[in-house]
Amino acid sequence: MKVSEIIRAAEVQNKTRFTFELLPPLKGEGTAQVFSAIDTLAPLDPAYINVTFHREDTLYTERPDGLLERHTVRHRPGTVGISAAIARRYGIETVPHIICGGLSRYDIEDALIDMDLLGMHNVLALRGDARRGESRFDPHPQGHAHADGLVAQIADMNRGRFIDGRNADGELNEFQHKTGFCIGVAGYPEKHSESPNPESDIEALRRKVEAGADYIVTQMSFDNARILDFISRAREAGITVPIVPGIKPIATRSHLTVLPQTFRVDLPPELVKEVERCPDNAAVRRVGIEWASMQAAGLRKAGLPVIHFYSMGRTDNIAAVVKKVF
Ligand code: FAD
């Protein structure tokens, strides 16, 4: 089932569902850890599961002659494969992510054709971040500089337009097969770090919707007021597609620095104070569960049909929130 249909069904039933995000296994690991994370949440009826996409990294090794050899490695490959494995094992809809970073349009098309052939018709389309060690995002020479280009490529495939096969006028030929992807994109309640101001960030979001996005999932935020303000600003800008808010139960003291640094989000002072008072990480987890439960209950009350949880691989605290609130 497409995510847009799942959201619509939840709206019609006046019910709030939950979803969560997982990382594909590290190269060399099997499926055990991912399946174990899902085992905790599958009985609680998640609406669908997102699976992140990880761009390549560069490693250097020293050759016997002393020269350095460069390797391009992907530490967490297999987004499409693990998404298909989850769908087959649990019968739960999966949403593989796909990014622009490091990929040409041809690589992207190949990955999307794999998904289409596997019967997976949900995808979250993202630009991705700068490569590790680089200060700014540098697009692949045959790729997309922004997520709106990626969305347009997927929307073209939905019209039967693949990259090659141009007609005499240089337009893409329409093939009989149309892929039918439901396309999600990212939104930022606290503004994307590269945007000069909130208005241009919303404008970029509007462009992604215009290019063909069916719904929006937000970056994590620990402040419902900012999430709800973002949703009203998006609506004022004419964005009508569903918006799924993202939240994360804080789980360790180190999250106080890691989360703002990695995801460019603020932590409310009250939350920081409560975490700082905790004697150990078990206590931090309890605070995280309380805070996320308060957020989830508030967003439910505000009538949002789906709430997305960032797991970073750990799902027991999400299960605690879901049991409390849903
Ligand atoms: P874009 O929409 O391209 O936006 C990037 C910046 O460019 C913004 O500042 C925007 O305002 C601006 N912009 C957008 N379009 C244009 C345009 N046409 N012209 C000029 N400026 C423009 N990263 C991963 O690597 N893998 C994942 O699996 C992953 N999953 C994510 C899931 C969610 C829900 C979210 C919120 C983020 C995720 N990310 C992931 C991180 C994401 O890749 C980064 O936040 C990235 O920096 C921006 O991606 P985007 O798709 O929002 O990019």
Side-chain angles (χ1 to χ4, degrees):
M1 199 173 178
K2 290 185 181 173
V3 164
S4 51
E5 292 164 359
I6 293 173
I7 298 175
R8 208 166 306 126
E11 276 168 352
V12 169
Q13 292 163 18
N14 202 14
K15 191 174 164 189
T16 302
R17 311 269 320 261
F18 81 97
T19 66
F20 62 101
E21 170 183 284
L22 287 173
L23 280 57
L26 279 169
K27 183 148 67 177
E29 278 181 0
T31 53
Q33 229 174 315
V34 169
F35 286 169
S36 145
I38 298 173
D39 287 341
T40 313
L41 286 172
L44 302 174
D45 191 28
Y48 53 88
I49 300 172
N50 283 67
V51 182
T52 54
F53 191 101
H54 297 257
R55 74 171 299 177
E56 80 290 1
D57 229 333
T58 308
L59 287 184
Y60 293 91
T61 53
E62 198 174 332
R63 296 193 330 202
D65 60 8
L67 291 176
L68 289 181
E69 191 169 356
R70 183 181 148 135
H71 306 268
T72 300
V73 291
R74 203 177 290 281
H75 298 294
R76 289 185 187 272
T79 297
V80 175
I82 191 73
S83 300
I86 294 168
R88 191 173 57 188
R89 184 179 169 96
Y90 296 93
I92 300 174
E93 201 58 62
T94 54
V95 183
H97 296 188
I98 185 127
I99 63 170
C100 309
L103 300 178
S104 70
R105 286 158 204 251
Y106 300 93
D107 301 324
I108 289 166
E109 189 179 78
D110 287 351
L112 290 162
I113 287 173
D114 279 345
M115 289 182 208
D116 182 45
L117 295 175
L118 284 161
M120 301 162 68
H121 291 111
N122 287 298
V123 64
L124 193 70
L126 304 139
R127 188 198 68 178
D129 285 316
R131 203 169 163 155
R132 200 192 306 257
E134 291 179 2
S135 58
R136 38 165 261 193
F137 179 83
D138 202 6
H140 187 287
Q142 291 179 305
H144 302 288
H146 287 287
D148 56 353
L150 172 58
V151 172
Q153 180 178 357
I154 305 171
D156 266 345
M157 290 175 72
N158 284 349
R159 291 184 206 104
R161 295 186 192 150
F162 294 75
I163 302 173
D164 35 15
R166 287 183 184 274
N167 64 23
D169 299 325
E171 290 160 349
L172 289 173
N173 280 325
E174 275 193 25
F175 290 81
Q176 247 187 1
H177 180 66
K178 298 174 173 43
T179 51
F181 284 108
C182 172
I183 311 166
V185 290
Y188 300 85
E190 303 183 22
K191 187 181 88 57
H192 185 263
S193 60
E194 293 165 34
S195 281
N197 54 53
E199 291 73 24
S200 59
D201 207 32
I202 288 280
E203 177 52 26
L205 184 59
R206 207 183 51 75
R207 272 206 288 267
K208 292 195 275 195
V209 174
E210 235 170 50
D214 296 294
Y215 68 101
I216 295 157
V217 189
T218 78
Q219 181 57 280
M220 66 178 74
S221 173
F222 295 85
D223 186 344
N224 279 3
R226 293 180 85 166
I227 295 174
L228 296 173
D229 173 63
F230 166 74
I231 296 175
S232 5
R233 285 187 289 112
R235 299 295 180 236
E236 276 164 26
I239 296 170
T240 56
V241 297
I243 300 180
V244 175
I247 62 176
K248 165 156 185 58
I250 209 162
T252 65
R253 186 178 273 267
S254 65
H255 279 165
L256 289 187
T257 46
V258 170
L259 298 177
Q261 265 167 17
T262 312
F263 300 102
R264 312 295 172 115
V265 292
D266 293 338
L267 297 178
E270 312 88 278
L271 174 60
V272 174
K273 255 187 239 151
E274 282 197 45
V275 170
E276 280 173 343
R277 272 203 294 266
C278 291
D280 53 27
N281 277 337
V284 175
R285 289 179 82 72
R286 286 195 291 275
V287 167
I289 289 167
E290 279 308 313
W291 192 273
S293 300
M294 181 264 291
Q295 279 196 276
L299 295 169
R300 240 191 122 182
K301 206 167 158 211
L304 291 165
V306 176
I307 298 173
H308 179 69
F309 287 91
Y310 286 87
S311 77
M312 290 164 80
R314 296 287 302 269
T315 49
D316 53 330
N317 49 359
I318 297 174
V321 176
V322 171
K323 282 179 192 162
K324 260 176 156 216
V325 178
F326 287 79

